[in-house]
Amino acid sequence: MDIKINLERLKSDIEELAQIGQDPRGGISRPSFSKSDLEAREWLKEKICQAGLCFRQDGAGNMFGRLGGEGRAVLVGSHIDTVINGGKFDGSAGVLAGLECLRRINEEKLRLAKPLELVSFTDEEGNLVGDFLGSRAFAGLLNREELERGITSFGRPLQEILAGTEFTLESILRAKEERPEVEAFLELHIEQGAVLENESIPIGIVEKIAGKNYRWCSFVGKPDHSGTTPLELRHDAFLATADFALKGTQLVATRHYGSMITIGRVTVQPGSFSVVPGQVDFSLDFRSASSEILEVLEKELLALAEDIASTRGLSFFSRVVDKTEPVKIPPRITEILQEECRKLGYPFLMMTSGAGHDAQIVSLIADSGMIFIPCLDGISHSPQEMIDWGDLEKGANLLLRALIRLAS
Amino acid sequence: MDIKINLERLKSDIEELAQIGQDPRGGISRPSFSKSDLEAREWLKEKICQAGLCFRQDGAGNMFGRLGGEGRAVLVGSHIDTVINGGKFDGSAGVLAGLECLRRINEEKLRLAKPLELVSFTDEEGNLVGDFLGSRAFAGLLNREELERGITSFGRPLQEILAGTEFTLESILRAKEERPEVEAFLELHIEQGAVLENESIPIGIVEKIAGKNYRWCSFVGKPDHSGTTPLELRHDAFLATADFALKGTQLVATRHYGSMITIGRVTVQPGSFSVVPGQVDFSLDFRSASSEILEVLEKELLALAEDIASTRGLSFFSRVVDKTEPVKIPPRITEILQEECRKLGYPFLMMTSGAGHDAQIVSLIADSGMIFIPCLDGISHSPQEMIDWGDLEKGANLLLRALIRLAS
């Protein structure tokens, strides 16, 4: 059937939502449970009802709009929360494209075998206590301790933030009991990389989602006077970190090409001009689409750090902050996407997603798939995030066709 | 003459002063013009008067105690302000040893050709707007702009801090007009390094004070998603900084041994686990006892940074924060110190001071010299700062003999 989405309507929805949470310092700042996010939730609920979908919300704040009756459903969606100074497409494009798809199916009065349900997951960006709070609650992957322990990026504990909402730690933990049976889940998302743009291809069909390993690490040496301490007697924690950063990057680049390693957050103590750094704490983010390589990387990087510490007379410590396994998208999903994409006549590329997504979490409980569309220069998490509307139209049309296939 | 200091009295003075500004988190926190520092100033003024010296204070808060009449005087002293969580000897040992020397000369009713004057300089540690504020005011090296521009380590502008004192920007700038003629200046100080301790020698006679170059530098690259951006497409400002830190250190260690280089303060932006660092700002501190090497180092390090920036596709910026030239102690000073040290029978070592001191500033307007005593493990700027009282006794005796020589 030649059903297509209404691009003007989808574009209008996206621009409307983008007005909520505009940050004077640029872009959109709409972290979960902020005032802007609560406003956006009201807006989305209104849109869901206007579309003729049956609205519900679970104890973790995940929002749903169902088409068709109860039972095992095909889910479609993403998230509407943003990072600080983020863009208007990351997450929102997926939720609103999904909404538009269900609107069209409803308008055309298609009778499908299974119900469809729009979903907008809470806190995909991890501004509260860690990435994918909503989808992890949905999948039953949370524990009370991490909810109690986390200090949110608002600087206050989760319980305090929740006090302004209808949610509690208990309701978040109970969300998994409210979960319906899930036939499949599809998520449309901007690529957040520059591959599709470089190749001038409008559609990416994700076949793998990289796993990641987040660690918080420290080199501990000795603070010393920068004027009086000979270089050879120092135990400089910054030089150790520098050594590790360069050798670790070289290790990944030469032995595990395609995998990623990043040191993004670094604090140096005591942090004075004239004191040799006695301690450096830093984040370590490494990723691979292969479980085996992820394991090997962990061993090799930790061994490298210990070796550098030993050579330089320092100590090295690290702890796991987060680990997610790589995900292989089920063939039945990628096959449906490839077939419908060919029928629509759109060029496509099979891809690995280097970024984590709600789909990665939901894949642990149901077959999940992702459609990528290009974004300008690969830029995301930035006011400069931008897409080509024609690409979004194609991606949403593919989403629509694939949803119909899955629900038939 | 066999005049010696009274160690018990000097020790008692040091322990008494150490009670002022005790920090619950350890050590002594007595930055200039803090409540503790104002208390310490009252204490010192009292001691100066009790010693029979003639007290005065200049517009920069430098405190003086004169013995003998007006005219070209031999100065002795150091500073009583401390860093946060500092020790009880850094600066204080020099002021109180000087006080004890003048007390002894007064008690013995020695008639010397020139007057002697104790001095305690304001803010040697640079908690206000930069190192050596008091001695630089004394030497006439300050300008209004740096006083107005600086944000003190209290987080408030200098003018605000001064509001609680009898001093103003104007009075600080006018201090140089209140300066008497200076015949010479001697400063006793803990080594803040471990050379004397390692050599088991109680006295260091400083023959050179290293010059230093402080710069604030930045590598500016491109923030990128850590999951989706291939390593070879990144412009990672932290890897550039790491590269510069290691190569710069190697350059100094191999080509300019004896010189120092330190990166002590580093800030990484945006500072998120999953974002490739787009900008890193860092301090650069390099020092040498040779002017020529200091100049060569500056050229070579800046060229190295530009080269790394160019190779990695980033930009490099830097600005001078402070520059002090190396100082050669005048032979007539070192000779007097060597002779008196031999007469006293104390072993001594000729040394370069890697740390900056008030003596370095005063040397620009008068012959200045320094006596070092060992400190435990070379530790300073720390609650663990410790000396051997026997070494202090020797240092103070040498100071006494040298002052008498200079004032004769």
Side-chain angles (χ1 to χ4, degrees), chain A residues 192 214 225-229 232 234 242 246 257 260-265 268 271-272 274 277 285 287 312 354-355, chain B residues 192 214 225-229 232 234 246 257 260-265 268 271-274 277 285 287 312 354-355:
Chain A
Q192 296 178 308
Y214 273 2
H225 197 293
S226 67
T228 63
T229 316
E232 67 274 13
R234 299 181 179 195
L246 292 171
Y257 183 72
M260 305 289 186
I261 178 172
T262 309
I263 289 175
R265 181 173 172 78
V268 175
S272 296
S274 55
D285 164 347
R287 311 187 186 210
R312 291 175 171 270
Chain B
Q192 296 178 308
Y214 273 2
H225 196 294
S226 66
T228 63
T229 316
E232 69 274 11
R234 299 182 179 192
L246 292 172
Y257 182 73
M260 305 290 187
I261 178 173
T262 309
I263 289 174
R265 182 174 172 76
V268 175
S272 297
F273 265 70
S274 55
D285 163 348
R287 311 187 185 209
R312 290 174 172 270

Side-chain angles (χ1 to χ4, degrees), chain A residues 30-32 81-84 123-131 151-154:
Chain A
R30 218 166 53 209
S32 278
D81 65 294
T82 74
V83 292
I84 303 300
D123 201 26
E124 187 271 352
E125 299 291 3
N127 276 302
L128 295 172
V129 295
D131 294 356
I151 303 295
T152 68
S153 64
F154 295 98

Side-chain angles (χ1 to χ4, degrees), chain A residues 264-266, chain B residues 222-224 268-280:
Chain A
R265 181 173 172 78
V266 181
Chain B
K222 185 163 171 282
D224 271 316
V268 175
Q269 293 176 54
S272 297
F273 265 70
S274 55
V275 181
V276 175
Q279 179 163 334
V280 172

